[in-house]
Amino acid sequence: MMNMSRTGLWLVGAHGGVATTVAVGLAALQDKNNFGCSHLACGLVSQLPQFRSLDLVGWDQVVVGGHDIRQTTSLKEAQGLSSGTVPAIAPMLVEASRGFLKEFESRIRPGILFNAGSTIESLSSKDRVAAVDTPRQAIACVQKDLSEFITSSGCDRVVVVHIASTEPPPVIIEPLPESWSQFQGLLDHHDGPLPSSTLYAIAALEMGLPFVNFTPSLGSCPAAVQDLAVRKKTCHMGCDGKTGETFLKSVLAPAFAKRNLEIMSWVGHNIFGNMDGQVLNDPLNKQTKVASKDRLLRQMLGYDPQTHISIEYIKSLGDWKTAWDHIHFRAFLGTPMTLQFTWQGCDSILAAPLVLDLFRFTELASRRGETGCLTQFSSFFKSPLGTDENDFAVQFNQLTQWASSL
Amino acid sequence: MMNMSRTGLWLVGAHGGVATTVAVGLAALQDKNNFGCSHLACGLVSQLPQFRSLDLVGWDQVVVGGHDIRQTTSLKEAQGLSSGTVPAIAPMLVEASRGFLKEFESRIRPGILFNAGSTIESLSSKDRVAAVDTPRQAIACVQKDLSEFITSSGCDRVVVVHIASTEPPPVIIEPLPESWSQFQGLLDHHDGPLPSSTLYAIAALEMGLPFVNFTPSLGSCPAAVQDLAVRKKTCHMGCDGKTGETFLKSVLAPAFAKRNLEIMSWVGHNIFGNMDGQVLNDPLNKQTKVASKDRLLRQMLGYDPQTHISIEYIKSLGDWKTAWDHIHFRAFLGTPMTLQFTWQGCDSILAAPLVLDLFRFTELASRRGETGCLTQFSSFFKSPLGTDENDFAVQFNQLTQWASSL
Amino acid sequence: MMNMSRTGLWLVGAHGGVATTVAVGLAALQDKNNFGCSHLACGLVSQLPQFRSLDLVGWDQVVVGGHDIRQTTSLKEAQGLSSGTVPAIAPMLVEASRGFLKEFESRIRPGILFNAGSTIESLSSKDRVAAVDTPRQAIACVQKDLSEFITSSGCDRVVVVHIASTEPPPVIIEPLPESWSQFQGLLDHHDGPLPSSTLYAIAALEMGLPFVNFTPSLGSCPAAVQDLAVRKKTCHMGCDGKTGETFLKSVLAPAFAKRNLEIMSWVGHNIFGNMDGQVLNDPLNKQTKVASKDRLLRQMLGYDPQTHISIEYIKSLGDWKTAWDHIHFRAFLGTPMTLQFTWQGCDSILAAPLVLDLFRFTELASRRGETGCLTQFSSFFKSPLGTDENDFAVQFNQLTQWASSL
Amino acid sequence: MMNMSRTGLWLVGAHGGVATTVAVGLAALQDKNNFGCSHLACGLVSQLPQFRSLDLVGWDQVVVGGHDIRQTTSLKEAQGLSSGTVPAIAPMLVEASRGFLKEFESRIRPGILFNAGSTIESLSSKDRVAAVDTPRQAIACVQKDLSEFITSSGCDRVVVVHIASTEPPPVIIEPLPESWSQFQGLLDHHDGPLPSSTLYAIAALEMGLPFVNFTPSLGSCPAAVQDLAVRKKTCHMGCDGKTGETFLKSVLAPAFAKRNLEIMSWVGHNIFGNMDGQVLNDPLNKQTKVASKDRLLRQMLGYDPQTHISIEYIKSLGDWKTAWDHIHFRAFLGTPMTLQFTWQGCDSILAAPLVLDLFRFTELASRRGETGCLTQFSSFFKSPLGTDENDFAVQFNQLTQWASSL
């Protein structure tokens, strides 16, 4: 492996379930011989035949680091995900990843904490939160960590992916300034409106590093931050990984539309018991998530069916999310009919490969000089930034067309 | 309405649930003022904005007739569909359709009965089966009925749609001859292998009338019959209307494939209690249907998951079909997950608008001179003839592209 | 029918879905010859063989009247329940009930309105609310209506059943006095804490008429009101008819307990679109209902699993309630397993026969001199008053034992 | 533990999933200190407070042995059950049971094989089938193994539990003789109609050992075998452990009956992928099982709803059985409603504690001198021998009444 170039994947929320699964998965992908489990690569879009000819980063080249505000270790988190009778990760995979997780741990730095709401704050440990006064200082601190990572790991490229807990919607009293120069004024006051996710985005983009917002938090959404990406000749995208229930929505709703079946109501109930669920149990944080899950139906259908989305923290389910959706629709002669589905999936396991895919695709796009908000990856997001397209089949076509064009 | 040209829709299986619903629906569409129910046009694909500019037959222009082998009346069948507490059709719609149904009834002729299996035979009435000895005579008889219909109704164009009960798979001892001249030899013997559906197809195509096979029966599948269509400069298509569970399969399976989620098993249980269910309760007839429902997964996924499809006649459900599907798939790191869905739909109500759509689209294609097996309508079929494409999104794109090209 | 004694069923909430279904049902039961539908008596517990030898009121003897605060008619409400493609009541049943509904309508009086919350108030019509200042006046007004009903109908016995919309939990600043003499002080002030349901209870009990609280509203729960029943030598019971999801809870939870399967979490989501749903959409009213649905699990299991109950108003569902319950339990060696159920029932159709059963059973108990809170009917209630028993099988045994003892 | 009396549990089908789970479970129960998992005793009925005062065998006293016809080891089978991402048994439990499983293995003897059908035969290994010619020799061979077990283990009591694969229904040309003396004539011919399960029953009962038939196979059902038990002053019971779907049937159906809700149809689809599923995939063996699952509805309801039960082998599910039941019932005014449930449970985990319970309860009953067919344990069986009672609540009452009477 000598002389092989290395590429960095920087995870904001490095101790979370998704990051931990990304790490265990990478360990497995890097050293298949030591892993008994076949089918490791299921769920990885970038491994599909359609993308075989792309010059994507090889699994062996990836180095992982990240930020987190919780006092724990990757190994401990991985063991947590693999315990119980119905674990999210097979125990033997964790065992085989010990070395990888230890190295990952050594590259995890304390995070920053701004406008994340009391629930997220209560999960943080004082030792694990960077001691800074202003957003500007926080950004500097994050950039220092990123620089050190680049130096120490020898990576020639780094992609920052935000997978930290969902923040409450920002309390914005006056509209955020649209130009970067004015926007910077918000960074000097301790009590500004910007949440951590946006500060991480700024930190990365200012350094010219691509930023991927896999959560519904604000991240790189503000116009001025998008402007920054363009000016720094780097790219960004978001928001909110489309993993389970919403993925199915973006598959099913267009099909109903194409059959002229009128959806009268779509009710979705989500129950799960991981830390994500715990944070979303806070009504403020939940608000951000529900908005992200709810918005796309109207865009796909062209009208507004009655919708109801609930997300409930049910401890016994752990990382296994169960969603029950009830779709009430009208067919010929006005006849009402019903489709119900129950989805039982493990959130971290669904999200982790998409994070790896986005890392690879973004790195390639960035390497090829694409800048600004990239929309060809909209199939990965619940609320794709820069496009209104939510039909999964159309979104996926855009991805394969991009790939063919390279 | 004077001077307006009229177009004929000839339904094979004219007393069945689908045909009856087609008739009630047409009555409603022709005279909206007399109908209290809004949302009549739900489920009609040809009413979508995408097809607004097409020169499709207007509802007012349609005249319906057909063949059937059962002793009953359209009105009686419509009342059956609208009785009970959870009817398939609202009683007031049937009341408002009385006149239309009576006229329809006057244009229904006794059918033909060859190799349909004992279950279908037991449903037939001697008076309603044309007294013929050979397939050739049966074809002549059907053609006589069609000619009379054209004359008496003043239709300048007619489309024949086959919606009769599913026949058993034909018992074919030696391969059917591929050329039409040799194939004709099969028509002279009383005990040849061809089922009624194929004789109807031949009757229509020989007269230059388009033939649509909305069932999994053999219909126009034999190469020689397809050849006949080309030679007679008319068109045909099939097989087996894609209404409920299989429609969802063709929507969901490609989405799993695009996420690289490996489907390990797909189990589908269908229960319903209409006449279709009664016929499919016969293991021979069921065999044809299950094959049609089962075949497309492999084509969409590129591999063979374990599948199981059951179709059971449960009398209490009447025309309301319930399908439970259990999809067991493998995600990242080999983790098994589950999607289950329950579909509760009324079969006749789902099928009828697609029959109307196919009638309109086929009539237009035929009027524009398209001949042979038309594949742009594959989104309507479980087992599309002439194409291997089963991904609903792709199929629908082919339909809109055809529309745009006109 | 000359000389046959007549018995009165007085429904508080006489224009609601349950009352309307009770009326249509009684019309059908009284004149079976005019009704085409068989199976009318399904769902009537009092028609079971176990109770055949009881001297219950015959359907022919029942006269119905009631109170309501909404401006409408029984016929209009019945037509509403029977419209649409999936009606709650078959249209022909409503047609056949016209005469009965008209007579019922003539015996419906304006209701009273105290502490019912803004949602219920907004449904009321000024003309349909008795113009009274104090609770005492309201009680007098109700009693006047009841007296007139008794006189005009010639009933020798009357049972009052409360089936009006769920009220918010009462705002009780200081504990309600337990003795009737002190309790009466609350009746003289316009702004006392007692809701309409309790005033109806007092009105009935003071007159010596049995009172059945089929809702989770306060009704006859206060100790002083219970005391009043005893002193007036009449009987009462409640609360909250056990119709669908909770009925299943009281059947399933004891079975899990008897198998030593530990329920870790029980999540229940209820969606429906009738007026009950509209009222329960108000968080205050919903609070009363959820408490009633939630409380029994602990009592049956002996420990507290995590529970979540949601009730959402989804307009398109009308009177058809769908409940999805997800039960996560632990089996041998700590293995987690899952039971999910989906219940699709029509609320009014489930409740109406239980109202008729309670009317008949209560009338018999009262005729036989039983007084105070009757607990042998606990199988009919979500929150049975006077007993902690919630196991449906045990509750039903108590009912049959009472019947055998007569 | 010196001087503590020891009791033997002899498992026919000792290498199967249930037996293996019994062994792992016993290991865990005997040495709680070495097991990290709490909640071990969930699912054990005999551990309920209701039975605390009974003088049941302590877990420490149990010694396990058994017969099997497959070439494998208990440890290998346990590892199979604990592998995969969603294992039936937690891997650490298997690790902690190594010693116990090894000892168990040393007490497993080759089984006998008569009229078990070709599917079971194909699973057997020649080395693991006792070389005998006649049923009488097979019985002698089994008895020799049991005698050696008693001697070598020092057990003063032994209970034989049959948990081997479901046999096809016996092909019985003439009725089996009812007296034991005549019945013995069947034992001398190689090609008699009796299956292995009945020979095991005879072997045990002749030695005065209690026999529990936890499968739907014939076992001790023949009158002559029941007669043998009485004459040998020992006891027996069966058939077919009531673990999942049928358990729910026996809980739900009586509740529908008590509410006078008419069940029109009850459809149950079962899918799973363990060896039991593999054997039941053979139509002959399936026939026995379906009959056992189907028969009880009529007994509980008093009428015959339409039923359909399917059992399908779906490999990917392993030991996790999923059952989907669709219950279509009629409520007041003939209104049809629906209850659907999905049960996701691990068969071995559900069955094993019931085997342990039956062992303990039977041992106690036997120690107290109870003989013949014991019916107080009917709550454990799908097709309880000697009683028609299938209502789970009533059956459980019989169990607690028996316990109180001791």
Side-chain angles (χ1 to χ4, degrees), chain D residues 20 22-23 31 68 83 88 91-92 125 146 155 158 162 203 214 247 250-252 300 310 322:
Chain D
T20 306
V22 163
D31 190 3
D68 207 292
S83 67
M92 66 177 174
S125 165
L146 283 165
C155 287
V158 172
H162 189 268
F214 202 74
F247 162 59
S250 73
V251 168
L252 289 169
M300 288 184 289
S310 81
T322 296

Side-chain angles (χ1 to χ4, degrees), chain C residues 103-301:
Chain C
E103 202 189 319
F104 177 29
E105 188 60 39
S106 75
R107 297 207 199 86
I108 299 179
R109 298 287 166 266
I112 60 174
L113 198 49
F114 280 79
N115 296 305
S118 59
T119 299
I120 292 180
E121 273 163 29
S122 72
L123 295 169
S124 71
S125 163
K126 212 184 145 188
D127 291 356
R128 301 289 315 174
V129 178
V132 292
D133 276 340
T134 64
R136 176 43 76 197
Q137 287 172 16
I139 292 169
C141 182
V142 167
Q143 291 177 333
K144 188 162 159 288
D145 293 335
L146 284 165
S147 297
E148 282 176 11
F149 172 63
I150 292 170
T151 309
S152 75
S153 68
C155 288
D156 44 12
R157 312 190 67 83
V158 173
V159 176
V160 176
V161 183
H162 189 268
I163 46 178
S165 295
T166 300
E167 300 162 343
V171 180
I172 300 203
I173 290 140
E174 44 186 325
L176 294 174
E178 296 201 5
S179 82
W180 175 242
S181 50
Q182 283 182 279
F183 194 88
Q184 290 194 79
L186 298 173
L187 302 179
D188 297 323
H189 302 290
H190 178 76
D191 54 356
L194 300 179
S196 311
S197 62
T198 299
L199 304 185
Y200 281 115
I202 294 170
L205 298 173
E206 266 195 343
M207 289 177 71
L209 305 180
F211 178 81
V212 176
N213 184 9
F214 202 75
T215 76
S217 300
L218 190 64
S220 60
C221 291
V225 181
Q226 301 206 37
D227 184 44
L228 174 67
V230 175
R231 290 193 308 100
K232 292 292 180 180
K233 297 199 167 50
T234 187
C235 60
H236 71 109
M237 74 202 68
C239 300
D240 206 7
K242 185 156 79 175
T243 52
E245 189 209 19
T246 312
F247 162 60
L248 285 175
K249 258 186 198 162
S250 74
V251 169
L252 290 169
F256 278 92
K258 286 166 186 165
R259 275 285 163 94
N260 204 5
L261 298 166
E262 182 198 338
I263 292 175
M264 296 185 289
S265 59
W266 191 311
V267 172
H269 288 298
N270 298 269
I271 52 178
F272 58 124
N274 59 14
M275 180 161 303
D276 195 20
Q278 218 170 320
V279 169
L280 294 177
N281 221 26
D282 182 320
L284 275 177
N285 306 58
K286 190 188 289 195
Q287 209 178 316
T288 307
K289 189 76 179 184
V290 167
S292 177
K293 285 172 88 74
D294 202 12
R295 144 187 334 133
L296 74 174
L297 269 190
R298 182 206 305 227
Q299 289 172 356
M300 288 185 289
L301 298 174

Side-chain angles (χ1 to χ4, degrees), chain B residues 124-358:
Chain B
S124 72
S125 163
K126 211 184 147 188
D127 292 353
R128 303 288 315 172
V129 178
V132 291
D133 274 341
T134 64
R136 176 42 76 194
Q137 287 172 16
I139 292 169
C141 182
V142 168
Q143 290 177 332
K144 185 162 161 287
D145 293 334
L146 283 165
S147 297
E148 282 174 12
F149 172 64
I150 291 170
T151 310
S152 75
S153 68
C155 287
D156 43 14
R157 310 191 68 83
V158 172
V159 176
V160 175
V161 183
H162 190 269
I163 46 178
S165 295
T166 301
E167 299 162 345
V171 180
I172 300 201
I173 289 141
E174 45 188 324
L176 295 175
E178 297 202 6
S179 82
W180 175 240
S181 50
Q182 287 184 274
F183 194 88
Q184 289 193 82
L186 298 173
L187 303 180
D188 297 323
H189 302 289
H190 178 76
D191 54 356
L194 301 178
S196 313
S197 62
T198 299
L199 305 185
Y200 281 116
I202 293 170
L205 297 172
E206 266 194 343
M207 289 176 70
L209 305 180
F211 179 81
V212 176
N213 184 9
F214 202 75
T215 74
S217 300
L218 190 65
S220 59
C221 291
V225 181
Q226 301 206 37
D227 183 44
L228 174 66
V230 175
R231 291 194 307 105
K232 292 292 178 179
K233 296 199 170 51
T234 187
C235 60
H236 71 108
M237 74 203 68
C239 301
D240 205 7
K242 185 156 79 174
T243 53
E245 190 210 19
T246 311
F247 162 60
L248 285 175
K249 256 185 200 162
S250 73
V251 169
L252 290 169
F256 278 91
K258 287 165 186 167
R259 275 286 163 91
N260 204 4
L261 298 166
E262 181 199 339
I263 292 175
M264 296 184 289
S265 59
W266 191 312
V267 172
H269 288 298
N270 298 269
I271 51 177
F272 59 125
N274 58 16
M275 180 162 303
D276 195 20
Q278 220 170 318
V279 170
L280 294 177
N281 221 27
D282 182 320
L284 274 177
N285 306 57
K286 190 188 292 195
Q287 208 178 319
T288 308
K289 190 76 178 185
V290 166
S292 177
K293 286 172 87 75
D294 202 13
R295 119 178 11 117
L296 75 175
L297 269 190
R298 182 206 304 224
Q299 290 172 355
M300 288 184 289
L301 297 173
Y303 56 88
D304 250 337
Q306 188 183 0
T307 60
H308 177 78
I309 293 177
S310 81
I311 302 177
E312 304 299 337
Y313 175 68
I314 301 295
K315 202 182 166 201
S316 67
L317 289 169
D319 203 45
W320 283 87
K321 182 189 279 179
T322 295
W324 173 68
D325 276 47
H326 181 280
I327 305 151
H328 200 205
F329 62 99
R330 225 189 298 260
F332 195 42
L333 305 179
T335 311
M337 299 182 180
T338 304
L339 171 67
Q340 298 171 61
F341 68 77
T342 312
W343 168 268
Q344 294 168 307
C346 176
D347 255 22
S348 303
I349 291 287
L350 286 161
L354 303 184
V355 166
L356 289 168
D357 290 329
L358 281 168

Side-chain angles (χ1 to χ4, degrees), chain D residues 112 114 132 134-146 180 183 187 194 196 198-204 206-207:
Chain D
I112 59 174
F114 279 79
V132 291
T134 64
R136 175 45 74 195
Q137 287 172 16
I139 293 169
C141 182
V142 168
Q143 290 177 332
K144 185 163 161 285
D145 293 335
L146 283 165
W180 175 241
F183 194 88
L187 303 178
L194 300 179
S196 313
T198 299
L199 305 185
Y200 282 116
I202 294 170
E206 266 194 343
M207 288 176 71

Side-chain angles (χ1 to χ4, degrees), chain C residues 5-52:
Chain C
S5 78
R6 310 188 80 198
T7 307
L9 166 56
W10 189 263
L11 299 169
V12 179
H15 281 142
V18 179
T20 305
T21 308
V22 163
V24 171
L26 266 174
L29 291 163
Q30 287 187 359
D31 189 3
K32 292 200 182 184
N33 298 335
N34 288 332
F35 287 83
C37 175
S38 59
H39 308 290
L40 288 172
C42 281
L44 280 164
V45 175
S46 57
Q47 295 283 85
L48 285 172
Q50 292 93 317
F51 307 110
R52 198 164 288 156

Side-chain angles (χ1 to χ4, degrees), chain C residues 43-44 242 259-260 342 379, chain D residues 43 242 259-260 340 342 379:
Chain C
L44 280 164
K242 185 156 79 175
R259 275 285 163 94
N260 204 5
T342 311
S379 65
Chain D
K242 185 156 78 174
R259 275 287 163 90
N260 204 4
Q340 297 171 62
T342 311
S379 64

